[in-house]
Amino acid sequence: MIFTRAIASFPDICSPEILRSVNGVLAVICSVLVYEIMTLLRPGVNDRNATACAVVLASYPLQWFFTFLYYTDAASLTLVLATYLACLKKRYWISALMGALSVIVRQTNIVWMLFAACTGIIDITLLSGKCRVKVADIDGPINVSSQLIRKNSNISSNLRRRKNNGAVDTGENVGPTANIFSSEMPGLLDEIKAILSTSWHMKWEILVHFVPFLMILMAFIAFIRWNGSIVLGAKDAHTVSPHFAQVMYFGLVSTLAMAPVHFSWGQAARIFRSLWRNKPLSFLQVLIAICAGFLSVHFFSIAHPYLLADNRHYPFYLWRKVINAHWSMRYLLVPLYAYSWLSIFSVLGRFQKRIWIVAYFLATAAILVPAPLIEFRYYTVPFYLLMLHSNVTDSRSWFLMGFLYVMTNIFTMSMFLFRPFQWNHEPGIQRFIW
């Protein structure tokens, strides 16, 4: 009898209102996770600023809009951020569990689970390497003669005076402070060598910590083999395609969403100074990036049938009115794409290790390149990670970004609520969405 009543009440429990309210709860949890990650990555930030940043990110237009609809975006982002936060706190088994749940919600989240695992390995190995160096520096003078000790006392006093003047690096800074284009920053190959060397010495410890990630990866590979594809549902409409232009679209969209940070005279001057200081190698890198951009838009720019036919989505109009307005337009946008990624690398390079930046770029590309459809929803997770690691401390930038997001949300919600339309070939009301 109880079972029969439960079945009878099931439609009421799964009503649209109840299902959509789930996303509201997840949005609150997501904001809490953003706050926790931000305070963990920036120990010096106060609670007020961290809360303000979490509120601004909660109003990010893509996340804000789909929070009110029964989409998987809110659950996907929440679980990915939970995976990342647990990994940052070195709770790797919990991180793997959250990663497995995120993969159940959205299969492509396997990439972000592996990215979190890579971040954990980077932190463990490089931190362990630093500790060994510090121990070696401490133990070295112990075995020397008293004469050398007396001689080093003068040196240490000089070092103390330099430290008081702020000229000595204490080794306690969170990440690199040099620009990614600067030769002062430790090289990528050096970081890779350090990680590989330390990983070999810590192989059993790393295996114990990260074996759940490996188990989930093996299960996911078995699922793909059984299912025949990573896609559940319309496999023909979501076939894997070499859509390299998608990475450039993401770079431009993300920098526009962070316009006060990336599109300022100070940021442009900083990039130019960095390139000029490391010429001619930096100019060669920019030339290669622009050439790769031209090749991507010419050979690997895909117009999915859904993009061309579904006028409910904003990418439909961006494709028709901007990217495909004229045959030359897609090529004229390439320098802007290149600048966007240069600016992203410049901002990240001031605070993150090069190996982390490479891992982030590869994870973003692994998510976006196989996707033939231009969907801004695919950009949400990499954008949040970009925002969290950009270390934006300027209150003015946060205020302007928040104002930009609120204005965008007012526009998109107004279009959705007050500008419905109908299709001639299909009954029912249609609405504008992202």
Side-chain angles (χ1 to χ4, degrees):
M1 188 70 176
I2 297 176
F3 182 73
T4 305
R5 290 180 179 177
I7 295 177
S9 63
F10 190 76
D12 297 330
I13 298 175
C14 293
S15 64
E17 293 77 13
I18 297 295
L19 293 177
R20 288 170 183 169
S21 65
V22 172
N23 275 356
V25 175
L26 291 174
V28 175
I29 298 174
C30 185
S31 298
V32 174
L33 293 172
V34 168
Y35 174 88
E36 292 292 332
I37 294 174
M38 189 164 295
T39 54
L40 191 62
L41 293 176
R42 310 176 199 170
V45 68
N46 57 50
D47 293 341
R48 181 179 178 181
N49 290 341
T51 303
C53 296
V55 171
V56 171
L57 274 178
S59 62
Y60 174 62
L62 271 298
Q63 185 66 10
W64 171 271
F65 186 88
F66 287 106
T67 296
F68 299 99
L69 303 177
Y70 193 60
Y71 274 65
T72 59
D73 295 81
S76 173
L77 178 62
T78 301
L79 290 171
V80 169
L81 291 180
T83 302
Y84 194 61
L85 176 61
C87 200
L88 290 176
K89 290 187 173 182
K90 296 180 172 53
R91 298 174 181 175
Y92 301 114
W93 285 72
I94 296 178
S95 177
L97 175 61
M98 294 294 101
L101 294 176
S102 72
V103 173
I104 293 175
V105 172
R106 184 171 291 176
Q107 288 69 50
T108 54
N109 284 339
I110 188 69
V111 174
W112 298 118
M113 188 201 74
L114 296 177
F115 172 77
C118 288
T119 300
I121 293 174
I122 291 171
D123 290 341
I124 286 179
T125 53
L126 293 185
L127 181 61
S128 176
K130 287 181 180 180
C131 291
R132 286 206 300 270
V133 170
K134 289 181 179 179
V135 170
D137 290 340
I138 294 172
D139 293 342
I142 294 177
N143 297 321
V144 299
S145 63
S146 59
Q147 182 180 1
L148 289 177
I149 294 175
R150 287 193 299 271
K151 184 182 295 185
N152 287 337
S153 63
N154 295 329
I155 298 175
S156 62
S157 63
N158 291 333
L159 286 177
R160 281 194 295 271
R161 285 196 298 270
R162 292 174 59 195
K163 182 177 180 181
N164 291 333
N165 294 330
V168 171
D169 182 12
T170 63
E172 296 176 355
N173 51 331
V174 177
T177 57
N179 192 279
I180 191 171
F181 308 109
S182 174
S183 60
E184 297 174 359
M185 187 176 176
L188 176 61
L189 293 179
D190 294 334
E191 292 181 0
I192 294 176
K193 288 179 183 178
I195 291 172
L196 293 177
S197 175
T198 309
S199 297
W200 175 251
H201 291 92
M202 301 176 60
K203 53 183 176 292
W204 299 119
E205 180 182 350
I206 291 176
L207 182 62
V208 170
H209 285 318
F210 294 95
V211 68
F213 294 96
L214 184 61
M215 294 168 58
I216 295 171
L217 177 61
M218 298 303 294
F220 184 77
I221 294 173
F223 159 76
I224 293 178
R225 185 174 179 83
W226 169 78
N227 188 53
S229 171
I230 193 175
V231 178
L232 291 174
K235 299 178 182 178
D236 295 337
H238 296 88
T239 57
V240 175
S241 305
H243 196 183
F244 290 99
Q246 184 98 267
V247 178
M248 295 186 294
Y249 302 152
F250 165 77
L252 181 57
V253 170
S254 297
T255 51
L256 287 175
M258 299 174 64
V261 176
H262 294 281
F263 291 97
S264 64
W265 289 112
Q267 175 65 4
R270 189 179 297 113
I271 294 174
F272 179 78
R273 285 196 301 267
S274 179
L275 294 174
W276 184 262
R277 188 166 55 246
N278 295 279
K279 63 179 189 304
L281 179 60
S282 58
F283 290 131
L284 178 62
Q285 293 173 341
V286 172
L287 179 61
I288 293 174
I290 292 177
C291 291
F294 279 115
L295 292 175
S296 296
V297 299
H298 185 76
F299 294 105
F300 302 104
S301 181
I302 300 175
H304 195 277
Y306 289 178
L307 175 67
L308 301 177
D310 196 343
N311 64 342
R312 295 172 299 180
H313 297 270
Y314 293 116
F316 170 87
Y317 301 96
L318 290 174
W319 179 266
R320 290 186 59 193
K321 303 297 184 180
V322 181
I323 298 176
N324 209 37
H326 188 265
W327 68 268
S328 63
M329 193 62 188
R330 63 179 64 186
Y331 303 104
L332 293 175
L333 289 172
V334 169
L336 195 55
Y337 298 147
Y339 172 82
S340 299
W341 272 108
L342 285 176
S343 185
I344 289 173
F345 289 148
S346 174
V347 171
L348 291 178
R350 294 200 297 273
F351 308 102
Q352 307 301 326
K353 300 177 181 66
R354 284 193 175 185
I355 187 63
W356 187 94
I357 297 172
V358 171
Y360 169 78
F361 177 79
L362 293 178
T364 302
I367 289 290
L368 299 180
V369 170
L373 182 61
I374 300 176
E375 270 277 15
F376 291 157
R377 294 186 298 116
Y378 302 159
Y379 303 168
T380 301
V381 172
F383 174 77
Y384 265 68
L385 292 174
L386 173 62
M387 285 283 285
L388 289 170
H389 285 273
S390 293
N391 200 20
V392 180
T393 57
D394 182 15
S395 300
R396 177 177 174 272
S397 296
W398 281 107
F399 174 79
L400 291 177
M401 285 189 290
F403 179 78
L404 174 65
Y405 297 166
V406 170
M407 292 297 102
T408 305
N409 290 332
I410 292 175
F411 172 78
T412 54
M413 297 295 283
S414 299
M415 293 293 291
F416 179 84
L417 294 173
F418 306 119
R419 290 293 299 275
F421 62 97
Q422 291 183 330
W423 285 341
N424 295 328
H425 63 281
E426 185 175 318
I429 296 176
Q430 311 300 328
R431 298 183 185 271
F432 292 105
I433 64 174
W434 278 103

